[in-house]
Amino acid sequence: RGIEEHELREKIPPADVYGISATTPDYNMALIVARLIKENHKAFIVLGGPHVTALPGTVDEIFDKLVIGEGELAIINLLKDLKDGIEKRVYKFPLVEDLDSIPFPSRHMLPFDSVFNHKLVTPGVPATTLITSRGCPYDCSFCASKKMWGQPVRFRSPHNVIDELNHIISSYGVKEFRFHDDTIGVNKKRLFDLCEKMK
C-alpha cells in the first residue's frame, strides 16, 4: 500500500507461484500486481480472498488459479496439482473446523514492513493484525463474511491466541495489535476470557 507502480515492480521477487488476496476495493490493485508479475516472470498467479469468493465470474483471466473461501487446504492441493500437471482453475475446500490446528502465519518469511505497520494502532509504534475467529452470525447485504467464512462463527481458543501474541512479542518485540475478526464480541464470555488472559 502507498507504493508507486514503478517501486512495486522492484519489490516483486522471482517465484514460480504468486498468491494474491483481494477484497473488492483491492481488486484493481491485484490486477496491477498480476500484470507486473506476468511482464517480469513466467509464473502462475493465484487469486483468493473475499472478492473472488463473492464474485468468481468477474475475475480476469490473468489469474491462472482461483481459491474460493478459505485457502489453507485449497493452496496445498492447488500446488500439488501444479506439480502433477493437473489442469484445474477453481479450488474450494470445506471450512477448517478446528482453527487452533492452523499454524501461525510465517511472518519470518516476509520483510518486516510487510507484516508490521507503524500507523496501524499508535502512530510510530510497530503493530500487526491477527484474526481470532472466522464468520459472523448475521447476513448483511453489503458484507461477504458469510460467503467467505460461513456460519456459524468458529473461534480459536483464547489459549491459542495468547500463544500467538506471545510468539509475536518474543520474536519481534511488537506489542500492539489490531484484531480483524468480523464479530469479535459475538461470544461475550470468550471475549472476556481472552481479555483476562491478555492482561
Side-chain angles (χ1 to χ4, degrees), residues 134-152:
R134 291 180 177 180
C136 176
Y138 308 109
D139 192 15
C140 301
S141 61
F142 58 81
C143 183
S145 179
K146 183 178 175 184
K147 280 193 174 291
M148 186 73 199
W149 307 120
Q151 289 177 317

Side-chain angles (χ1 to χ4, degrees), residues 20-115:
I20 301 173
S21 179
T23 62
T24 298
D26 292 330
Y27 179 68
N28 285 336
M29 181 52 77
L31 278 172
I32 290 169
V33 172
R35 288 188 190 113
L36 289 172
I37 290 169
K38 289 291 188 186
E39 287 170 13
N40 295 284
H41 307 284
K42 188 177 179 193
F44 288 96
I45 303 176
V46 181
L47 181 69
H51 180 79
V52 66
T53 298
L55 302 164
T58 68
V59 175
D60 193 280
E61 291 294 320
I62 198 165
F63 299 103
D64 303 294
K65 308 287 182 183
L66 309 179
V67 171
I68 307 296
E70 294 181 341
E72 287 87 4
L73 299 175
I75 195 70
I76 293 168
N77 284 273
L78 184 155
L79 293 172
K80 184 179 180 304
D81 284 356
L82 278 176
K83 185 178 175 186
D84 295 341
I86 295 171
E87 294 290 330
K88 182 177 171 183
R89 186 168 190 237
V90 179
Y91 289 79
K92 179 174 173 51
F93 277 77
L95 300 174
V96 176
E97 291 301 322
D98 178 11
L99 296 184
D100 285 5
S101 70
I102 300 171
F104 300 150
S106 299
R107 294 176 175 93
H108 66 282
M109 296 181 75
L110 295 168
F112 187 87
D113 63 356
S114 288
V115 180

Side-chain angles (χ1 to χ4, degrees), residues 171-198:
S171 300
Y172 306 100
V174 171
K175 298 179 183 177
E176 295 199 1
F177 305 92
R178 178 181 288 174
F179 294 91
H180 273 209
D181 302 46
D182 287 330
T183 48
I184 196 167
V186 74
N187 182 329
K188 190 174 177 180
K189 181 180 182 304
R190 174 189 174 270
L191 179 59
F192 281 15
D193 186 23
L194 179 58
C195 289
E196 282 300 319
K197 286 179 168 53
M198 283 196 294

Side-chain angles (χ1 to χ4, degrees), residues 115-135:
V115 180
F116 303 99
N117 188 305
H118 288 79
K119 299 176 185 173
L120 196 61
V121 182
T122 304
V125 178
T128 194
T129 62
L130 67 154
I131 299 175
T132 76
S133 63
R134 291 180 177 180

